[in-house]
Amino acid sequence: EDIKGQSQPVRQMKEKLRQYAPSDVNIFIQGETGSGKELAAHALHAASLRKNKPFVPVNISAVPAQLIESELFGYEEGAFTGAKRGGKAGYFEMAHKGTLFLDEIGELSPDMQSKLLQVMEENSFERVGEARSIGVDIRVLSATNIDLEKALVEGRLRRDLFYRLASVILRLPPLRQRKNDIPILVEYFISQFSRQWDLRPPRPSRGVLSDLCDHDWPGNIRELRNVISRL
């Protein structure tokens, strides 16, 4: 219910979310930038059997390439210069028994894609600088905004990893395909910002709503949210 909208594409997406959530299969979420991939991942976790366990979101593109292995799998004390005393748990360890959401999975290097595939096949991993294997029980949700077919053909995304991640593919509709939802989203964001800033909620004119509905929204819901914030 946190996913706002009543258009046919959104109703179909919500129905798929309800179908997929209770199973424990890995789900690949495909959608344009700003289309709500993390919100969909949250919804899948909240309606799953793992809902009372951790939900750990990771934006791969926000993690420097030289740190991605230690961030995902953790490290032992002294593993490298600057390592914390006592070591550090990685995102896989944090998500044990729960859900790990890997956003922008297409940004992983080929070496890290190979490492991730191995971890998912064996359900275990080693911290950086340690030989001891750590077992893990997690559901992996992943997402990307890249052209999947092109990435697979060009080899930027390993097919064997993709098949492991994509037991099911959930495609999110862009905002331009669900324009009937724009007034609902506008009202929601106005209410949200008005509470946040202690303002009397403004009422948008019919002309304003018409202009907002006419726009193609290349940045999708994130762009709409920012526009309402600025207005």
Side-chain angles (χ1 to χ4, degrees), residues 8-56:
Q8 184 177 1
V10 168
R11 290 200 305 270
Q12 291 174 341
M13 180 186 69
K14 285 187 176 187
E15 182 57 33
K16 288 182 179 179
L17 284 168
R18 292 187 184 99
Q19 291 173 1
Y20 299 161
S23 71
D24 216 28
V25 297
N26 297 326
I27 297 176
F28 198 94
I29 304 170
Q30 188 177 17
E32 296 179 4
T33 297
S35 59
K37 295 186 288 294
E38 185 169 342
L39 185 60
H42 267 289
L44 286 164
H45 174 74
S48 75
L49 300 177
R50 298 175 182 264
K51 62 184 177 183
N52 295 320
K53 301 297 181 179
F55 174 82
V56 180

CSV table of all heavy atoms in Angstrom, one decimal, residues 8-56:
chain,number,residue,atom,x,y,z
A,8,GLN,N,-3.7,1.0,-14.3
A,8,GLN,CA,-3.6,-0.4,-14.7
A,8,GLN,C,-2.2,-1.0,-14.5
A,8,GLN,O,-2.0,-2.0,-14.0
A,8,GLN,CB,-4.2,-0.7,-16.1
A,8,GLN,CG,-4.2,-2.2,-16.4
A,8,GLN,CD,-4.8,-2.5,-17.8
A,8,GLN,OE1,-5.2,-1.6,-18.5
A,8,GLN,NE2,-4.9,-3.7,-18.1
A,9,PRO,N,-1.2,-0.2,-15.1
A,9,PRO,CA,0.2,-0.8,-14.9
A,9,PRO,C,0.6,-0.9,-13.4
A,9,PRO,O,1.3,-1.9,-13.1
A,9,PRO,CB,1.1,0.3,-15.6
A,9,PRO,CG,0.2,1.0,-16.6
A,9,PRO,CD,-1.2,1.0,-15.9
A,10,VAL,N,0.2,0.0,-12.6
A,10,VAL,CA,0.5,-0.2,-11.1
A,10,VAL,C,-0.3,-1.3,-10.5
A,10,VAL,O,0.3,-2.0,-9.7
A,10,VAL,CB,0.3,1.2,-10.4
A,10,VAL,CG1,0.3,1.0,-8.9
A,10,VAL,CG2,1.3,2.2,-10.9
A,11,ARG,N,-1.5,-1.4,-10.8
A,11,ARG,CA,-2.3,-2.5,-10.3
A,11,ARG,C,-1.7,-3.9,-10.7
A,11,ARG,O,-1.7,-4.8,-9.8
A,11,ARG,CB,-3.8,-2.4,-10.7
A,11,ARG,CG,-4.6,-1.3,-10.1
A,11,ARG,CD,-6.1,-1.5,-10.2
A,11,ARG,NE,-6.5,-1.8,-11.5
A,11,ARG,CZ,-6.9,-0.8,-12.4
A,11,ARG,NH1,-6.9,0.4,-12.0
A,11,ARG,NH2,-7.3,-1.1,-13.6
A,12,GLN,N,-1.3,-4.0,-11.9
A,12,GLN,CA,-0.7,-5.2,-12.4
A,12,GLN,C,0.7,-5.5,-11.6
A,12,GLN,O,1.0,-6.6,-11.2
A,12,GLN,CB,-0.4,-5.2,-13.9
A,12,GLN,CG,-1.7,-5.2,-14.7
A,12,GLN,CD,-1.4,-5.0,-16.2
A,12,GLN,OE1,-0.4,-4.5,-16.6
A,12,GLN,NE2,-2.4,-5.4,-17.0
A,13,MET,N,1.4,-4.4,-11.4
A,13,MET,CA,2.7,-4.6,-10.7
A,13,MET,C,2.5,-5.0,-9.3
A,13,MET,O,3.1,-5.9,-8.7
A,13,MET,CB,3.5,-3.2,-10.7
A,13,MET,CG,4.8,-3.3,-10.0
A,13,MET,SD,5.6,-1.7,-9.9
A,13,MET,CE,4.6,-0.8,-8.8
A,14,LYS,N,1.5,-4.4,-8.6
A,14,LYS,CA,1.2,-4.7,-7.2
A,14,LYS,C,0.7,-6.2,-7.1
A,14,LYS,O,1.1,-6.9,-6.1
A,14,LYS,CB,0.1,-3.8,-6.7
A,14,LYS,CG,0.6,-2.4,-6.3
A,14,LYS,CD,-0.6,-1.6,-5.6
A,14,LYS,CE,-0.1,-0.3,-5.2
A,14,LYS,NZ,-1.1,0.4,-4.3
A,15,GLU,N,0.0,-6.6,-8.1
A,15,GLU,CA,-0.5,-8.0,-8.1
A,15,GLU,C,0.7,-9.0,-8.2
A,15,GLU,O,0.8,-10.0,-7.5
A,15,GLU,CB,-1.5,-8.3,-9.2
A,15,GLU,CG,-2.1,-9.7,-9.2
A,15,GLU,CD,-2.7,-10.1,-7.9
A,15,GLU,OE1,-3.3,-9.2,-7.3
A,15,GLU,OE2,-2.7,-11.3,-7.6
A,16,LYS,N,1.7,-8.6,-9.0
A,16,LYS,CA,2.9,-9.5,-9.1
A,16,LYS,C,3.7,-9.4,-7.8
A,16,LYS,O,4.2,-10.4,-7.4
A,16,LYS,CB,3.7,-9.0,-10.3
A,16,LYS,CG,3.1,-9.3,-11.7
A,16,LYS,CD,4.0,-8.9,-12.8
A,16,LYS,CE,3.4,-9.2,-14.2
A,16,LYS,NZ,4.2,-8.8,-15.3
A,17,LEU,N,3.7,-8.3,-7.2
A,17,LEU,CA,4.4,-8.2,-5.9
A,17,LEU,C,3.8,-9.1,-4.9
A,17,LEU,O,4.5,-9.8,-4.1
A,17,LEU,CB,4.4,-6.7,-5.4
A,17,LEU,CG,5.4,-5.7,-6.1
A,17,LEU,CD1,5.0,-4.3,-5.7
A,17,LEU,CD2,6.8,-6.0,-5.7
A,18,ARG,N,2.5,-9.1,-4.8
A,18,ARG,CA,1.8,-10.0,-3.9
A,18,ARG,C,2.0,-11.4,-4.2
A,18,ARG,O,2.1,-12.3,-3.3
A,18,ARG,CB,0.3,-9.7,-3.9
A,18,ARG,CG,-0.1,-8.3,-3.4
A,18,ARG,CD,-1.6,-8.1,-3.3
A,18,ARG,NE,-2.0,-6.8,-2.8
A,18,ARG,CZ,-2.4,-5.8,-3.7
A,18,ARG,NH1,-2.5,-6.1,-5.0
A,18,ARG,NH2,-2.7,-4.6,-3.2
A,19,GLN,N,2.1,-11.8,-5.5
A,19,GLN,CA,2.4,-13.2,-5.8
A,19,GLN,C,3.8,-13.6,-5.5
A,19,GLN,O,4.1,-14.7,-5.0
A,19,GLN,CB,2.2,-13.3,-7.3
A,19,GLN,CG,0.7,-13.2,-7.8
A,19,GLN,CD,0.6,-13.3,-9.3
A,19,GLN,OE1,1.6,-13.4,-10.0
A,19,GLN,NE2,-0.7,-13.2,-9.8
A,20,TYR,N,4.8,-12.7,-5.8
A,20,TYR,CA,6.2,-13.0,-5.6
A,20,TYR,C,6.7,-13.0,-4.2
A,20,TYR,O,7.6,-13.7,-3.8
A,20,TYR,CB,7.1,-12.1,-6.5
A,20,TYR,CG,6.8,-12.1,-7.9
A,20,TYR,CD1,7.2,-11.1,-8.7
A,20,TYR,CD2,6.2,-13.2,-8.6
A,20,TYR,CE1,7.0,-11.0,-10.1
A,20,TYR,CE2,5.9,-13.2,-9.9
A,20,TYR,CZ,6.3,-12.1,-10.7
A,20,TYR,OH,6.1,-12.1,-12.0
A,21,ALA,N,6.1,-12.1,-3.4
A,21,ALA,CA,6.7,-11.8,-2.0
A,21,ALA,C,6.8,-13.0,-1.1
A,21,ALA,O,7.8,-13.3,-0.5
A,21,ALA,CB,5.9,-10.7,-1.4
A,22,PRO,N,5.7,-13.9,-1.0
A,22,PRO,CA,5.8,-15.0,0.0
A,22,PRO,C,6.8,-16.1,-0.4
A,22,PRO,O,7.3,-16.8,0.5
A,22,PRO,CB,4.4,-15.5,0.0
A,22,PRO,CG,3.5,-14.4,-0.6
A,22,PRO,CD,4.4,-13.8,-1.6
A,23,SER,N,7.1,-16.2,-1.7
A,23,SER,CA,8.1,-17.2,-2.1
A,23,SER,C,9.5,-16.7,-1.7
A,23,SER,O,9.7,-15.6,-1.4
A,23,SER,CB,8.0,-17.5,-3.6
A,23,SER,OG,8.5,-16.4,-4.3
A,24,ASP,N,10.5,-17.6,-1.8
A,24,ASP,CA,11.8,-17.2,-1.4
A,24,ASP,C,12.7,-17.1,-2.6
A,24,ASP,O,14.0,-17.1,-2.4
A,24,ASP,CB,12.4,-18.2,-0.4
A,24,ASP,CG,13.2,-17.5,0.7
A,24,ASP,OD1,13.0,-16.3,1.0
A,24,ASP,OD2,14.2,-18.2,1.2
A,25,VAL,N,12.2,-17.0,-3.8
A,25,VAL,CA,13.0,-16.9,-5.0
A,25,VAL,C,13.7,-15.5,-5.1
A,25,VAL,O,13.2,-14.5,-4.6
A,25,VAL,CB,12.2,-17.1,-6.3
A,25,VAL,CG1,11.6,-18.5,-6.3
A,25,VAL,CG2,11.1,-16.1,-6.4
A,26,ASN,N,14.9,-15.5,-5.7
A,26,ASN,CA,15.6,-14.3,-6.0
A,26,ASN,C,14.8,-13.5,-7.1
A,26,ASN,O,14.4,-14.1,-8.1
A,26,ASN,CB,17.0,-14.5,-6.4
A,26,ASN,CG,17.8,-15.2,-5.3
A,26,ASN,OD1,17.6,-14.9,-4.1
A,26,ASN,ND2,18.7,-16.1,-5.6
A,27,ILE,N,14.7,-12.2,-7.0
A,27,ILE,CA,13.9,-11.4,-7.9
A,27,ILE,C,14.8,-10.3,-8.5
A,27,ILE,O,15.5,-9.6,-7.7
A,27,ILE,CB,12.7,-10.8,-7.2
A,27,ILE,CG1,11.7,-12.0,-6.8
A,27,ILE,CG2,11.9,-9.9,-8.2
A,27,ILE,CD1,10.5,-11.5,-6.0
A,28,PHE,N,14.7,-10.1,-9.8
A,28,PHE,CA,15.4,-9.1,-10.5
A,28,PHE,C,14.4,-8.0,-10.8
A,28,PHE,O,13.5,-8.2,-11.5
A,28,PHE,CB,16.1,-9.7,-11.7
A,28,PHE,CG,17.2,-8.8,-12.3
A,28,PHE,CD1,18.5,-9.1,-12.0
A,28,PHE,CD2,16.9,-7.8,-13.2
A,28,PHE,CE1,19.5,-8.3,-12.5
A,28,PHE,CE2,17.9,-7.0,-13.7
A,28,PHE,CZ,19.3,-7.3,-13.4
A,29,ILE,N,14.7,-6.8,-10.3
A,29,ILE,CA,13.8,-5.7,-10.6
A,29,ILE,C,14.4,-4.8,-11.6
A,29,ILE,O,15.5,-4.3,-11.5
A,29,ILE,CB,13.6,-4.9,-9.3
A,29,ILE,CG1,13.1,-5.8,-8.1
A,29,ILE,CG2,12.6,-3.7,-9.5
A,29,ILE,CD1,13.0,-5.1,-6.8
A,30,GLN,N,13.6,-4.6,-12.7
A,30,GLN,CA,14.1,-3.8,-13.8
A,30,GLN,C,13.2,-2.5,-13.9
A,30,GLN,O,12.0,-2.6,-14.0
A,30,GLN,CB,14.1,-4.5,-15.1
A,30,GLN,CG,14.8,-3.8,-16.3
A,30,GLN,CD,14.8,-4.6,-17.5
A,30,GLN,OE1,14.1,-5.6,-17.7
A,30,GLN,NE2,15.7,-4.2,-18.5
A,31,GLY,N,13.9,-1.4,-14.0
A,31,GLY,CA,13.1,-0.1,-14.1
A,31,GLY,C,14.0,1.0,-14.4
A,31,GLY,O,15.2,1.0,-14.1
A,32,GLU,N,13.5,2.1,-15.0
A,32,GLU,CA,14.3,3.3,-15.2
A,32,GLU,C,14.7,4.0,-13.9
A,32,GLU,O,14.1,3.7,-12.9
A,32,GLU,CB,13.5,4.2,-16.1
A,32,GLU,CG,13.2,3.7,-17.5
A,32,GLU,CD,12.4,4.7,-18.3
A,32,GLU,OE1,12.1,5.8,-17.9
A,32,GLU,OE2,12.0,4.3,-19.5
A,33,THR,N,15.7,4.9,-14.0
A,33,THR,CA,16.1,5.6,-12.8
A,33,THR,C,14.9,6.4,-12.3
A,33,THR,O,14.2,7.0,-13.0
A,33,THR,CB,17.2,6.6,-13.2
A,33,THR,OG1,18.3,5.9,-13.7
A,33,THR,CG2,17.6,7.5,-12.1
A,34,GLY,N,14.7,6.3,-11.0
A,34,GLY,CA,13.7,7.0,-10.3
A,34,GLY,C,12.3,6.4,-10.4
A,34,GLY,O,11.3,7.0,-10.0
A,35,SER,N,12.2,5.1,-10.8
A,35,SER,CA,10.9,4.5,-11.0
A,35,SER,C,10.4,3.8,-9.7
A,35,SER,O,9.3,3.2,-9.7
A,35,SER,CB,10.9,3.5,-12.2
A,35,SER,OG,11.9,2.5,-12.0
A,36,GLY,N,11.3,3.7,-8.7
A,36,GLY,CA,10.8,3.1,-7.4
A,36,GLY,C,11.3,1.7,-7.2
A,36,GLY,O,10.6,0.9,-6.5
A,37,LYS,N,12.5,1.4,-7.6
A,37,LYS,CA,13.0,0.0,-7.5
A,37,LYS,C,13.2,-0.3,-6.0
A,37,LYS,O,12.9,-1.4,-5.6
A,37,LYS,CB,14.3,-0.1,-8.3
A,37,LYS,CG,14.1,0.0,-9.8
A,37,LYS,CD,15.3,-0.3,-10.6
A,37,LYS,CE,16.4,0.7,-10.5
A,37,LYS,NZ,16.0,2.0,-11.1
A,38,GLU,N,13.8,0.6,-5.2
A,38,GLU,CA,14.0,0.3,-3.8
A,38,GLU,C,12.7,0.2,-3.1
A,38,GLU,O,12.5,-0.7,-2.2
A,38,GLU,CB,14.9,1.3,-3.1
A,38,GLU,CG,15.2,0.9,-1.7
A,38,GLU,CD,16.3,1.8,-1.1
A,38,GLU,OE1,17.1,2.4,-1.8
A,38,GLU,OE2,16.4,1.8,0.2
A,39,LEU,N,11.7,1.0,-3.4
A,39,LEU,CA,10.4,0.9,-2.8
A,39,LEU,C,9.7,-0.5,-3.1
A,39,LEU,O,9.2,-1.1,-2.2
A,39,LEU,CB,9.5,2.0,-3.3
A,39,LEU,CG,8.1,2.1,-2.7
A,39,LEU,CD1,8.2,2.3,-1.2
A,39,LEU,CD2,7.3,3.2,-3.3
A,40,ALA,N,9.9,-1.0,-4.3
A,40,ALA,CA,9.4,-2.3,-4.7
A,40,ALA,C,10.1,-3.4,-3.9
A,40,ALA,O,9.5,-4.3,-3.4
A,40,ALA,CB,9.6,-2.5,-6.2
A,41,ALA,N,11.4,-3.2,-3.7
A,41,ALA,CA,12.2,-4.2,-2.9
A,41,ALA,C,11.7,-4.2,-1.5
A,41,ALA,O,11.6,-5.3,-0.9
A,41,ALA,CB,13.7,-3.9,-3.0
A,42,HIS,N,11.5,-3.0,-0.9
A,42,HIS,CA,11.0,-2.9,0.5
A,42,HIS,C,9.6,-3.7,0.6
A,42,HIS,O,9.4,-4.4,1.5
A,42,HIS,CB,10.8,-1.4,0.8
A,42,HIS,CG,11.9,-0.8,1.6
A,42,HIS,ND1,12.3,-1.2,2.8
A,42,HIS,CD2,12.8,0.1,1.1
A,42,HIS,CE1,13.3,-0.5,3.2
A,42,HIS,NE2,13.7,0.3,2.2
A,43,ALA,N,8.8,-3.5,-0.4
A,43,ALA,CA,7.5,-4.1,-0.4
A,43,ALA,C,7.6,-5.6,-0.5
A,43,ALA,O,6.9,-6.3,0.2
A,43,ALA,CB,6.6,-3.6,-1.6
A,44,LEU,N,8.5,-6.1,-1.3
A,44,LEU,CA,8.7,-7.6,-1.4
A,44,LEU,C,9.2,-8.1,-0.1
A,44,LEU,O,8.7,-9.2,0.4
A,44,LEU,CB,9.7,-7.9,-2.5
A,44,LEU,CG,9.2,-7.7,-3.9
A,44,LEU,CD1,10.4,-7.7,-4.9
A,44,LEU,CD2,8.3,-8.9,-4.3
A,45,HIS,N,10.1,-7.4,0.6
A,45,HIS,CA,10.5,-7.9,1.9
A,45,HIS,C,9.4,-7.8,3.0
A,45,HIS,O,9.3,-8.8,3.7
A,45,HIS,CB,11.7,-7.0,2.3
A,45,HIS,CG,12.2,-7.3,3.7
A,45,HIS,ND1,12.9,-8.5,4.0
A,45,HIS,CD2,12.1,-6.7,4.9
A,45,HIS,CE1,13.2,-8.5,5.3
A,45,HIS,NE2,12.7,-7.4,5.9
A,46,ALA,N,8.7,-6.7,3.0
A,46,ALA,CA,7.7,-6.5,4.0
A,46,ALA,C,6.6,-7.5,3.9
A,46,ALA,O,5.9,-7.8,4.9
A,46,ALA,CB,7.1,-5.1,3.9
A,47,ALA,N,6.3,-8.1,2.8
A,47,ALA,CA,5.3,-9.1,2.6
A,47,ALA,C,5.8,-10.5,2.5
A,47,ALA,O,5.1,-11.4,2.2
A,47,ALA,CB,4.5,-8.8,1.3
A,48,SER,N,7.1,-10.7,2.9
A,48,SER,CA,7.7,-12.0,2.8
A,48,SER,C,7.7,-12.7,4.1
A,48,SER,O,7.4,-12.1,5.2
A,48,SER,CB,9.1,-11.9,2.2
A,48,SER,OG,10.0,-11.3,3.2
A,49,LEU,N,8.2,-13.9,4.2
A,49,LEU,CA,8.3,-14.7,5.4
A,49,LEU,C,9.5,-14.2,6.2
A,49,LEU,O,9.7,-14.5,7.4
A,49,LEU,CB,8.5,-16.2,5.1
A,49,LEU,CG,7.3,-16.8,4.4
A,49,LEU,CD1,7.6,-18.3,4.1
A,49,LEU,CD2,6.0,-16.7,5.2
A,50,ARG,N,10.4,-13.3,5.6
A,50,ARG,CA,11.5,-12.8,6.2
A,50,ARG,C,11.3,-11.4,6.8
A,50,ARG,O,12.2,-10.6,7.1
A,50,ARG,CB,12.7,-12.7,5.2
A,50,ARG,CG,13.1,-14.1,4.7
A,50,ARG,CD,14.2,-14.0,3.7
A,50,ARG,NE,14.6,-15.3,3.1
A,50,ARG,CZ,15.7,-16.0,3.6
A,50,ARG,NH1,16.4,-15.5,4.5
A,50,ARG,NH2,16.0,-17.2,3.0
A,51,LYS,N,10.0,-10.9,6.8
A,51,LYS,CA,9.7,-9.5,7.1
A,51,LYS,C,10.2,-9.1,8.5
A,51,LYS,O,10.4,-7.9,8.7
A,51,LYS,CB,8.2,-9.3,7.0
A,51,LYS,CG,7.4,-10.1,8.0
A,51,LYS,CD,5.9,-10.0,7.8
A,51,LYS,CE,5.1,-10.8,8.7
A,51,LYS,NZ,3.6,-10.7,8.4
A,52,ASN,N,10.4,-10.0,9.4
A,52,ASN,CA,10.9,-9.6,10.8
A,52,ASN,C,12.4,-9.7,10.9
A,52,ASN,O,12.9,-9.5,12.0
A,52,ASN,CB,10.2,-10.4,11.8
A,52,ASN,CG,8.7,-10.2,11.9
A,52,ASN,OD1,8.2,-9.1,11.8
A,52,ASN,ND2,8.0,-11.3,12.1
A,53,LYS,N,13.1,-9.9,9.8
A,53,LYS,CA,14.5,-10.0,9.7
A,53,LYS,C,15.1,-8.8,9.0
A,53,LYS,O,14.3,-8.0,8.4
A,53,LYS,CB,15.0,-11.3,9.1
A,53,LYS,CG,14.5,-12.6,9.8
A,53,LYS,CD,15.0,-12.7,11.2
A,53,LYS,CE,14.5,-13.9,11.9
A,53,LYS,NZ,15.0,-14.0,13.3
A,54,PRO,N,16.4,-8.6,8.9
A,54,PRO,CA,16.9,-7.4,8.3
A,54,PRO,C,16.6,-7.3,6.8
A,54,PRO,O,16.6,-8.2,6.1
A,54,PRO,CB,18.4,-7.6,8.5
A,54,PRO,CG,18.6,-8.6,9.6
A,54,PRO,CD,17.4,-9.5,9.5
A,55,PHE,N,16.4,-6.0,6.4
A,55,PHE,CA,16.4,-5.6,5.0
A,55,PHE,C,17.6,-4.7,4.8
A,55,PHE,O,17.7,-3.6,5.4
A,55,PHE,CB,15.1,-4.9,4.7
A,55,PHE,CG,15.1,-4.3,3.3
A,55,PHE,CD1,14.8,-5.1,2.2
A,55,PHE,CD2,15.4,-3.0,3.0
A,55,PHE,CE1,14.7,-4.6,0.9
A,55,PHE,CE2,15.4,-2.5,1.7
A,55,PHE,CZ,15.1,-3.3,0.7
A,56,VAL,N,18.5,-5.1,4.0
A,56,VAL,CA,19.8,-4.4,3.8
A,56,VAL,C,19.9,-4.0,2.4
A,56,VAL,O,20.2,-4.8,1.5
A,56,VAL,CB,21.0,-5.3,4.2
A,56,VAL,CG1,22.3,-4.5,4.0
A,56,VAL,CG2,20.9,-5.8,5.6
